[in-house]
């Protein structure tokens, strides 16, 4: 494949544009997606190419345009609904949970809901408590939804294309702090299957599982630990519903130790679910208790010192790895 370096936002725009060229039923709707080229410029140039009937600016009314999207999907279209942030999706959560996620079952299979709800999740700098929340585990808790959380431009493009083609509702969660990230992405078309994790770094001493932008913390910790001769295997879940348990279990059976890093509150987190699955299905392979590093169990503050204290940090991952290796 011919590779070039592009930004995360460009990968998102390419995925949507390619799918809109491929299938005239696909359209994009949300706040500032058209005339402004997207709040984060993730739909740049799309209005010029596809016109106002397929790239649609909406009022500040998430419940309304999410509902329009669900109705459009029921009638044979394939909407992409952008939330400026998933913090704002709380206004539309009735449409997402009570309608999009349930209509296939409640209609006895008469209706499918091929819709993508996408936008940034979790913290994005000093935006304080109501704009800094990670909702991956919330949506992953709901049967009927698929939840995708890419960590880099390559994965984002391949996964978003798969999400748009999926006949079920997909929650596609990005990050405001990743839109400027750059990576190699093929010029040719490619797809990444939903529900398949990726081993980003091979290792032998400990497995570190993470997803989304916070996986950078795992990378940073692994680099520091490598200087001590500690080999970390990093697994990027990429999808948190469905979870690729097999990849995690295979790695734990090799390394015998597990640390999970997640930007979310600890209660009911994805880390909690993985910990249960590993102790249930790979208990005899564990040489140490599973450790998890999450956000602190409090709303995020505004002060930068408190933001740092709230979010998972490399030093916490390093400490946890040393603990499971009995080096601390």
């Amino acid at each position: 494949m011919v590779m070039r370096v592009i930004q995360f936002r460009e990968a998102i725009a390419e995925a949507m544009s390619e799918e809109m060229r491929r299938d005239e039923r696909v359209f994009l709707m949300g706040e500032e997606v058209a005339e402004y080229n997207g709040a984060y410029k993730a739909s740049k140039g799309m209005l010029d190419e596809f016109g106002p009937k397929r790239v649609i600016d909406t009022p500040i009314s998430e419940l309304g345009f999410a509902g329009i999207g669900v109705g459009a999907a029921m009638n044979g279209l394939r909407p992409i609904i952008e939330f400026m942030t998933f913090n704002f999706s709380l206004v539309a959560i009735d449409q997402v949970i009570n309608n999009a996620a349930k209509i296939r079952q409640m209609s006895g299979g008469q209706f499918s809901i091929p819709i993508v709800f996408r936008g940034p999740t979790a913290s994005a700098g000093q935006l304080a408590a109501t704009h800094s929340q990670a909702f991956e585990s919330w949506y992953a808790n709901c049967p009927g939804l698929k939840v995708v959380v890419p960590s880099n431009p390559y994965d984002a493009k391949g996964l978003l294309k798969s999400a748009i083609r999926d006949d079920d509702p997909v929650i596609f969660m990005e990050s405001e702090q990743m839109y400027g990230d750059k990576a190699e992405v093929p010029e040719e078309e490619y797809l990444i299957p939903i529900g398949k994790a990726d081993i980003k770094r091979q290792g032998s001493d400990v497995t570190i599982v993470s997803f989304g932008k916070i996986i950078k913390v795992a990378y940073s910790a692994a680099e520091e630990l490598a200087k001590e001769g500690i080999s970390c295997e990093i697994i990027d879940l990429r999808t948190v519903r469905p979870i690729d348990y097999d990849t995690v279990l295979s790695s734990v059976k090799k390394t015998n130790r597990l640390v999970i890093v997640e930007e979310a509150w600890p209660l009911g987190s994805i880390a909690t679910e993985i910990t249960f699955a590993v102790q249930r299905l790979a208990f005899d392979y564990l040489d140490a208790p599973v450790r998890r590093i999450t956000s602190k169990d409090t709303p995020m503050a505004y002060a930068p010192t408190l933001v740092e204290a709230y979010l998972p940090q490399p030093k916490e991952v390093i400490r946890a790895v040393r603990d499971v290796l009995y080096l601390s």
Side-chain angles (χ1 to χ4, degrees):
M1 288 187 171
V2 178
M3 307 294 285
R4 70 268 149 79
V5 175
I6 64 173
Q7 291 184 331
F8 192 104
R9 59 168 56 88
E10 294 173 303
I12 294 293
E14 283 189 0
M16 293 191 292
S17 296
E18 288 176 13
E19 293 305 303
M20 288 175 71
R21 295 180 197 119
R22 174 181 174 272
D23 188 341
E24 64 181 10
R25 297 172 298 171
V26 180
F27 69 94
L28 172 65
M29 181 164 55
E31 295 158 3
E32 298 185 349
V33 299
E35 295 288 348
Y36 193 66
N37 286 310
Y40 311 104
K41 300 299 180 278
S43 53
K44 186 176 181 179
M46 292 179 64
L47 175 63
D48 292 338
E49 178 174 358
F50 300 105
K53 289 187 177 181
R54 296 185 68 195
V55 182
I56 304 167
D57 276 332
T58 68
I60 302 174
S61 54
E62 286 81 5
L63 178 65
F65 63 76
I68 291 171
V70 172
M74 291 177 67
N75 282 279
L77 300 180
R78 307 185 75 89
I80 305 167
I81 304 299
E82 178 179 309
F83 295 125
M84 193 178 292
T85 160
F86 265 93
N87 294 282
F88 301 162
S89 75
L90 298 187
V91 182
I93 201 165
D94 179 58
Q95 288 293 340
V96 178
I97 299 297
N98 277 333
N99 292 326
K102 295 180 174 64
I103 285 175
R104 180 190 285 274
Q105 184 197 52
M106 293 177 68
S107 69
Q110 294 180 80
F111 290 101
S112 60
I113 307 293
I115 187 170
V116 176
F117 298 99
R118 53 156 293 269
T121 183
S123 62
Q126 291 177 261
L127 297 182
T130 60
H131 289 64
S132 304
Q133 302 164 112
F135 294 116
E136 295 92 328
S137 61
W138 285 35
Y139 286 112
N141 187 254
C142 182
L145 299 177
K146 297 175 181 178
V147 183
V148 179
V149 196
S151 67
N152 60 82
Y154 175 88
D155 287 358
K157 182 176 180 181
L159 287 164
L160 182 53
K161 287 171 67 70
S162 293
I164 295 168
R165 297 186 191 188
D166 202 291
D167 287 331
D168 290 313
V170 179
I171 308 294
F172 195 91
M173 307 180 102
E174 302 153 17
S175 169
E176 293 173 53
Q177 294 184 321
M178 289 198 301
Y179 284 121
D181 288 0
K182 295 181 179 180
E184 288 189 336
V185 175
E187 289 186 358
E188 297 85 353
E189 180 176 75
Y190 68 98
L191 299 172
I192 295 176
I194 292 174
K196 182 62 179 174
D198 188 33
I199 300 175
K200 298 296 191 190
R201 180 187 181 113
Q202 295 284 344
S204 57
D205 294 327
V206 60
T207 299
I208 302 177
V209 173
S210 190
F211 57 89
K213 78 170 186 296
I214 208 67
I215 201 170
K216 296 176 184 179
V217 171
Y219 293 148
S220 178
E223 288 294 328
E224 288 300 313
L225 289 162
K227 298 174 183 178
E228 304 175 23
I230 298 172
S231 175
C232 299
E233 181 148 293
I234 297 179
I235 295 176
D236 184 347
L237 290 179
R238 300 199 292 201
T239 302
V240 298
R241 188 178 183 107
I243 293 173
D244 182 359
Y245 295 104
D246 289 343
T247 296
V248 175
L249 291 168
S250 295
S251 179
V252 170
K253 289 176 180 180
K254 178 178 69 173
T255 66
N256 310 117
R257 294 168 174 86
L258 174 62
V259 173
I260 309 167
V261 186
E262 179 181 1
E263 183 182 353
W265 297 308
L267 184 64
S269 62
I270 300 299
T272 303
E273 166 61 21
I274 293 173
T275 299
F276 169 79
V278 169
Q279 71 84 27
R280 173 69 179 83
L281 300 171
F283 181 81
D284 290 341
Y285 292 88
L286 287 171
D287 287 342
V290 176
R291 288 290 306 273
R292 65 177 186 178
I293 309 298
T294 66
S295 301
K296 304 307 180 289
D297 197 15
T298 180
M300 194 172 94
Y302 176 79
T305 50
L306 295 178
V307 170
E308 181 179 359
Y310 171 85
L311 294 172
Q313 299 295 332
K315 62 185 179 183
E316 295 176 282
V317 180
I318 292 170
R319 189 182 309 120
V321 169
R322 288 175 177 157
D323 282 349
V324 299
L325 289 167
Y326 301 109
L327 296 174
S328 59

